[in-house]
Amino acid sequence: MEPILRVEGISKVFPGVQALDRVDFEAYAGEVMALVGENGAGKSTLVKILSGVYKRDSGRIYFEGKRVEIQDPYHAQLMGISTIHQELMVTPNQTVAQNIFLGREIRRRGILGVLGFVDKREMERRAKELLERVGADIPPDELVKNLSVAQRQLVEIAKALSFKAKVIIMDEPTSALGPEEVEKLFEVIKQLKEQGIAIVFISHRLEEVFRIADRITILRDGKLVGYMSREEATPDKVIYLMVNRPIGDMFRKEEVVRGEPILEVKNLSSDVVKNVSFTLYKGEILGIAGLVGSGRTELVRLIFGADPKKSGEILIEGKRVEINSPEDAVKLGIGLVPEDRQNQGLILKMSLRENIGITIIKKILKFLNFVDKIKLTRISEDFVRRLNIKTPSVFEKVLYLSGGNQQKVVLSKWLASEPKILILDEPTRGIDVGAKAEIHAIMSQLAKSGISIIMISSEMPEVLAMSDRILVMNEGKIVAEVPRREATQEKIMAYASGNIVN
């Protein structure tokens, strides 16, 4: 059978970087082709070439058996190649129907159409048909800003279908979804397969790759290093090809004898969080599990002073404290690595060194309040070594670092402040398997050194393996506390979904 999409010998060079080096790639109608590799392996560059964002330097692209030149993203969509990016390309203040037909609005008939009047009713009718194809019960006249991330993804898929897409590229489509939403997305992917559409599925979550993919293509350092069916593939084989070394134990959790209580939260409440109480001990990794919308992130934002609380109190080392802002939290020895590292954790256009300096500005000031740049450089270079950050220098803008290395910069920024308590919200979201293993090792080392960690994660294997205890949230409340030795995925999910566990 002829592949619907085939690339041969694709290469792309950026200044000082060979992003792709003679890569071959194929996708067939009615199949899911998974594209995997570490951050910086070339996946995004290949996707951007196929979606018309970048021009290739050399090589050939064939679509439906014919050699093609993809001029720009709109040309790619008209041709039948649609891309759903990790950062969803929606306009929140417009309706679902307006988003689906953005730039291709259906005009009224006759003179009204000539004058530019839009046929709102017809757009909503067609949008409803497209949404039904992906099993989405979303009103076409609903504003996109009122939708969940999962619903917005379905709108993007419906938009792709409106272009009569024959190939849909999904870049990290599950990174912001909870388990139930992932299952819904996988059902939609199966439906798209049955309709003869080729899916290119990019994910760092290998357990998802092995569930959904028919074939797997592996890139490393811009080169094609592996190409196999799901039946031929094993996790160890795929990981070895991705990182060119055995990864060892993915979850390097060392057992630590917990110390005295360091943080006590009593009856903390907000509009979302409802009367939450718990204790965190010195040297402990406390996991917080729950479905999307359960209040996990809102809880830690309250503790960090990023959102106002309605009631409740917080004690650190037995003393009641007032945390009304992140600045208060930092002074008390609390750091927060947010779930959205690019928008909330980093200033992308600043250097690695400048980002690390943000939390320690008072420590690096010298005479007349000038920054001691030599001291800041020395501190930054020390973290580059300690956390194995891959960067040309500490003066490199974090914008140009891979996702895993960006996450290590956020960690470095907070470790430089010498925190007693470190809150990690989705610490390994969107990063490759090698970087995940390194961050898990860092977490374990930090706990061993006496730092107390609160970890939120939507990845159940991570929660089970890295936590000393697990708090489970549902509808803004803590509904269970599960010791490490008693925790199972089934038990945690039953509590998280509101079911009673016997």
Side-chain angles (χ1 to χ4, degrees):
M1 183 172 65
E2 180 78 13
I4 190 167
L5 175 66
R6 184 173 90 251
V7 302
E8 295 179 353
I10 292 289
S11 294
K12 181 68 179 178
V13 177
F14 296 106
V17 178
Q18 179 82 46
L20 291 174
D21 186 6
R22 293 167 292 177
V23 168
D24 298 333
F25 179 82
E26 292 180 347
Y28 289 82
E31 74 156 8
V32 176
M33 166 59 83
L35 182 61
V36 301
E38 289 192 279
N39 292 105
K43 304 186 302 294
S44 293
T45 302
L46 179 58
V47 166
K48 287 177 180 177
I49 288 172
L50 294 175
S51 58
V53 176
Y54 291 159
K55 299 288 185 185
R56 69 192 186 283
D57 293 335
S58 60
R60 296 168 297 280
I61 301 174
Y62 296 89
F63 187 73
E64 295 186 305
K66 298 177 182 177
R67 186 170 175 178
V68 296
E69 297 291 335
I70 302 175
Q71 303 299 327
D72 53 47
Y74 187 61
H75 180 225
Q77 289 177 316
L78 289 177
M79 188 186 301
I81 303 173
S82 288
T83 302
I84 298 170
H85 297 277
Q86 187 174 358
E87 302 298 328
L88 298 176
M89 310 293 285
V90 292
T91 54
N93 291 316
Q94 290 188 297
T95 68
V96 169
Q98 288 171 327
N99 269 270
I100 290 174
F101 293 104
L102 188 63
R104 302 170 294 126
E105 290 79 7
I106 300 169
R107 303 292 182 184
R108 297 279 293 273
R109 293 181 180 179
I111 189 65
L112 292 178
V114 174
L115 293 173
F117 284 85
V118 171
D119 192 336
K120 180 182 174 183
R121 183 176 296 178
E122 180 62 15
M123 281 174 55
E124 291 180 354
R125 186 189 69 78
R126 294 193 195 180
K128 188 173 185 295
E129 289 179 352
L130 293 165
L131 291 164
E132 287 173 351
R133 282 185 64 185
V134 296
D137 185 19
I138 304 171
D141 59 350
E142 182 69 75
L143 291 178
V144 167
K145 68 180 180 181
N146 297 329
L147 305 182
S148 67
V149 173
Q151 289 174 317
R152 294 183 189 196
Q153 278 191 338
L154 294 176
V155 171
E156 286 271 60
I157 295 171
K159 182 177 180 179
L161 295 178
S162 76
F163 279 97
K164 297 182 172 56
K166 297 174 182 176
V167 176
I168 298 180
I169 302 170
M170 297 184 177
D171 189 1
E172 296 288 350
T174 64
S175 63
L177 303 184
E180 291 182 351
E181 294 169 324
V182 170
E183 293 302 320
K184 172 64 177 174
L185 177 64
F186 284 0
E187 284 299 317
V188 171
I189 289 174
K190 289 176 183 176
Q191 292 172 21
L192 296 173
K193 279 179 58 177
E194 290 169 1
Q195 295 169 27
I197 295 170
I199 307 295
V200 178
F201 184 85
I202 301 169
S203 178
H204 288 304
R205 297 177 177 178
L206 290 186
E207 67 275 13
E208 293 179 353
V209 168
F210 279 90
R211 276 193 59 195
I212 201 71
D214 297 298
R215 291 183 302 124
I216 303 170
T217 296
I218 304 122
L219 299 181
R220 186 179 72 240
D221 297 331
K223 297 180 180 180
L224 174 68
V225 294
Y227 184 85
M228 63 193 77
S229 68
R230 182 173 53 187
E231 291 73 25
E232 297 174 289
T234 65
D236 286 346
K237 187 186 294 186
V238 171
I239 290 170
Y240 186 84
L241 287 169
M242 284 172 59
V243 301
N244 200 28
R245 66 185 187 279
I247 203 66
D249 187 0
M250 185 67 191
F251 303 103
R252 305 181 194 178
K253 175 72 173 73
E254 295 186 36
E255 294 299 324
V256 176
V257 178
R258 77 183 189 188
E260 297 297 313
I262 189 166
L263 171 72
E264 295 172 78
V265 173
K266 296 184 178 181
N267 303 315
L268 199 60
S269 294
S270 68
D271 289 335
V272 176
V273 177
K274 301 172 184 176
N275 204 37
V276 164
S277 300
F278 69 88
T279 300
L280 174 70
Y281 297 88
K282 186 174 181 181
E284 176 184 44
I285 298 179
L286 178 64
I288 301 182
L291 303 179
V292 171
S294 62
R296 301 169 303 171
T297 294
E298 290 82 359
L299 171 60
V300 297
R301 283 178 62 85
L302 285 183
I303 296 169
F304 192 64
D307 293 333
K309 70 178 187 293
K310 282 188 172 180
S311 61
E313 60 181 7
I314 297 171
L315 288 78
I316 293 181
E317 295 180 320
K319 297 179 181 178
R320 191 176 189 276
V321 297
E322 285 297 328
I323 303 177
N324 297 312
S325 68
E327 185 178 9
D328 292 341
V330 174
K331 287 178 181 176
L332 291 165
I334 303 175
L336 169 63
V337 176
E339 61 177 332
D340 186 348
R341 62 176 169 265
Q342 292 199 345
N343 291 315
Q344 299 174 359
L346 295 167
I347 301 175
L348 295 176
K349 293 186 178 180
M350 289 173 62
S351 69
L352 182 156
R353 185 186 72 156
E354 290 167 325
N355 272 275
I356 290 176
I358 289 171
T359 62
I360 55 170
I361 190 70
K362 292 182 180 178
K363 296 181 182 179
I364 55 175
L365 291 178
K366 55 182 182 178
F367 183 65
L368 295 178
N369 282 337
F370 284 101
V371 172
D372 188 338
K373 295 183 179 179
I374 294 175
K375 184 177 182 180
L376 178 56
T377 299
R378 186 173 66 249
I379 291 170
S380 302
E381 289 176 341
D382 181 51
F383 278 109
V384 168
R385 286 190 296 271
R386 284 170 56 190
L387 273 64
N388 191 29
I389 301 173
K390 296 176 183 176
T391 178
S393 77
V394 297
F395 304 102
E396 181 79 357
K397 291 182 179 180
V398 295
L399 175 67
Y400 301 122
L401 302 183
S402 70
N405 287 303
Q406 287 181 350
Q407 189 73 340
K408 291 180 185 178
V409 174
V410 184
L411 272 171
S412 299
K413 180 180 79 172
W414 288 111
L415 292 178
S417 72
E418 299 179 338
K420 301 173 186 176
I421 300 163
L422 188 59
I423 302 170
L424 305 176
D425 193 351
E426 301 288 1
T428 62
R429 171 176 287 170
I431 63 176
D432 63 72
V433 65
K436 278 186 180 182
E438 291 179 329
I439 286 176
H440 291 151
I442 291 166
M443 289 170 58
S444 190
Q445 291 163 12
L446 293 174
K448 193 174 182 180
S449 72
I451 293 175
S452 303
I453 295 173
I454 297 174
M455 178 191 70
I456 294 172
S457 177
S458 297
E459 296 193 33
M460 195 56 63
E462 184 170 64
V463 172
L464 294 172
M466 295 303 297
S467 305
D468 294 297
R469 283 184 300 139
I470 302 168
L471 303 179
V472 188
M473 294 192 69
N474 176 267
E475 296 183 353
K477 301 175 183 177
I478 291 178
V479 294
E481 177 183 318
V482 185
R484 176 185 178 89
R485 65 183 178 276
E486 297 175 13
T488 65
Q489 182 162 332
E490 292 75 18
K491 180 181 286 189
I492 300 300
M493 287 305 300
Y495 278 124
S497 58
N499 298 321
I500 296 173
V501 178
N502 295 322

